[in-house]
Amino acid sequence: MYTQFLSDEHLHDKLQKQQRIAVSRQNLSGVFHTSFSKPVSFETRWTALGVAGRERAMVEALVYITLNFGVEDSWCYCPDITKPQLCAGKGEGFLKMVRHFVVSDLRTPPPIDFPILHETRFETIQGDHLKSKLLACSGCLEKVDRRITYCSRECQLKDYKHGNPPHKLICGKAMRSVDPVKLAEPSGAVDFPLYTDRPSSKLAIQLIYLRRYAHTGRGQYFYTQLESGLPLQKSFGDGAPIFEAIRRRAMAEQDLKGIAELEYFLHISIDPRSEETKEGWTAQLEAEYEVRMVDARKAATGSKVIKALQKSLGRMEIDYSKNPRHDGR
């Protein structure tokens, strides 16, 4: 029996996460239904990826969602379980899970009570008065500081051998074994050096998408502030070389002047048809580079790049047709 003890504070936090998950579930359902109406359905594309391709896609999605939605503490991932259950064969496990969570009515948000797959054995108990009566798995507690509790020795042995999944597969193993920065391999000779080997969650997300699309030229930067969780690609046409030079300084050196120039460039390129905003870009850059934009703007006082952009602003033409609103891949 798995047990979770929740204080009032944790309950409130859990409720907020459940509400966000409900909205995301509705968005996912919309994407799912749309993809099935295409000539090549999601199911066909998922199956065609092969086991290795499905594993990579799944782990990338886990990294992106947990980092972007601030639920890193809720990420339970273990390759011994997650990969074979969701990606093996033709990927039927993942398709079964998706069909279970997809809603048919897209007009109203789904309930916050998230549906549990029937074969998953799970129970939540609230109340500290039960704590002293429960047994804890010593392997998990000592090795990875994870408290997995059971009502009896018999229940623990049953779960260890026959649980879904058997606890012996994850006992004492860290449930998060993926480094977001190393997840997306550099595309060919193109890479994006960082000023730190422990970047912020937002910068890790930016790096993943920059690496993924480096060989396509489809995105010089990605707006990740949308409620849908899907990134918005930014491409700058003839201005790309200038933007990429600024971006390189910001990412490799945490250069305040470069970060302020990045902000200015992104502000003047906002597509009025999209959901991006100046405030959103500023908040994203502050979170990515862990700086205050007030300080960055001071460092950029007299910037020749910003002056040049201001001078040419009247002549600048941004081709918004090359900036698709969302990319659901």
Side-chain angles (χ1 to χ4, degrees), residues 4 6 15 21 54 62 89 118 126 148 205 236 250 261 291:
Q4 188 175 14
L6 301 172
L15 178 61
I21 289 173
R54 288 193 290 269
L62 278 171
H118 297 302
Q126 298 174 20
I148 303 295
I205 293 171
F236 300 99
E261 292 169 349
V291 299

Side-chain angles (χ1 to χ4, degrees), residues 35-173:
S35 70
F36 263 85
S37 65
K38 294 180 178 180
V40 182
S41 71
F42 168 79
E43 183 171 357
T44 301
R45 284 179 285 147
W46 173 254
T47 302
L49 282 176
V51 176
R54 288 193 290 269
E55 289 180 355
R56 182 178 178 81
M58 179 198 65
V59 177
E60 280 196 2
L62 278 171
V63 172
Y64 182 81
I65 293 299
T66 53
L67 293 181
N68 200 44
F69 285 92
V71 290
E72 294 174 75
D73 294 339
S74 303
W75 180 1
C76 292
Y77 166 78
C78 180
D80 292 340
I81 296 172
T82 313
K83 288 184 178 181
Q85 286 206 346
L86 299 183
C87 303
K90 295 184 178 180
E92 301 92 341
F94 178 76
L95 292 174
K96 179 181 179 181
M97 182 183 70
V98 169
R99 293 192 190 97
H100 184 75
F101 294 129
V102 162
V103 296
S104 56
D105 183 5
L106 300 177
R107 294 170 295 181
T108 57
I112 62 173
D113 294 327
F114 210 57
I116 302 296
L117 287 170
H118 297 302
E119 62 267 31
T120 301
R121 195 158 53 84
F122 176 89
E123 184 172 345
T124 298
I125 297 178
Q126 298 174 20
D128 289 336
H129 63 283
L130 295 170
K131 192 170 183 178
S132 61
K133 301 179 182 179
L134 296 169
L135 301 175
C137 172
S138 59
C140 289
L141 196 60
E142 294 171 2
K143 294 179 181 179
V144 291
D145 195 28
R146 180 172 62 242
R147 187 177 180 83
I148 303 295
T149 50
Y150 301 93
C151 60
S152 67
R153 178 67 174 169
E154 180 183 5
C155 181
Q156 183 176 6
L157 289 173
K158 184 178 180 180
D159 185 54
Y160 187 82
K161 295 181 179 180
H162 308 294
N164 185 22
H167 185 67
K168 63 181 179 181
L169 293 178
I170 62 171
C171 186
K173 296 180 180 179

Side-chain angles (χ1 to χ4, degrees), residues 144-327:
V144 291
D145 195 28
R146 180 172 62 242
R147 187 177 180 83
I148 303 295
T149 50
Y150 301 93
C151 60
S152 67
R153 178 67 174 169
E154 180 183 5
C155 181
Q156 183 176 6
L157 289 173
K158 184 178 180 180
D159 185 54
Y160 187 82
K161 295 181 179 180
H162 308 294
N164 185 22
H167 185 67
K168 63 181 179 181
L169 293 178
I170 62 171
C171 186
K173 296 180 180 179
M175 295 298 283
R176 178 176 177 177
S177 58
V178 178
D179 182 346
V181 178
K182 295 179 181 178
L183 180 66
E185 295 298 326
S187 301
V190 181
D191 199 8
F192 304 87
L194 295 181
Y195 64 89
T196 175
D197 59 356
R198 298 182 64 84
S200 65
S201 297
K202 283 290 186 181
L203 191 55
I205 293 171
Q206 189 68 236
L207 181 66
I208 288 172
Y209 278 95
L210 286 173
R211 283 178 169 175
R212 177 185 293 180
Y213 294 107
H215 65 289
T216 67
R218 288 170 57 189
Q220 277 85 47
Y221 220 73
F222 295 84
Y223 186 70
T224 59
Q225 298 290 95
L226 301 176
E227 281 296 319
S228 66
L230 300 174
L232 183 151
Q233 300 177 41
K234 299 293 292 183
S235 299
F236 300 99
D238 293 339
I242 299 174
F243 180 84
E244 289 172 355
I246 297 171
R247 183 192 64 199
R248 192 177 303 113
R249 292 205 331 269
M251 296 185 73
E253 304 170 23
Q254 198 184 22
D255 178 65
L256 288 176
K257 181 180 176 182
I259 295 169
E261 292 169 349
L262 202 63
E263 178 194 44
Y264 189 83
F265 212 119
L266 292 166
H267 279 188
I268 65 174
S269 67
I270 288 177
D271 183 346
R273 302 169 302 173
S274 74
E275 299 172 52
E276 58 181 322
T277 64
K278 289 184 176 181
E279 295 78 11
W281 273 120
T282 297
Q284 178 174 318
L285 291 171
E286 287 185 325
E288 285 177 342
Y289 297 99
E290 300 174 291
V291 299
R292 296 193 315 160
M293 289 309 304
V294 172
D295 298 330
R297 291 169 192 150
K298 286 181 180 178
T301 301
S303 164
K304 293 182 180 180
V305 171
I306 292 179
K307 285 183 178 180
L309 289 172
Q310 290 172 335
K311 186 177 180 180
S312 63
L313 186 57
R315 302 194 304 272
M316 284 187 67
E317 294 184 4
I318 298 180
D319 186 357
Y320 293 117
S321 66
K322 295 181 179 179
N323 288 331
R325 288 185 70 248
H326 297 114
D327 188 328

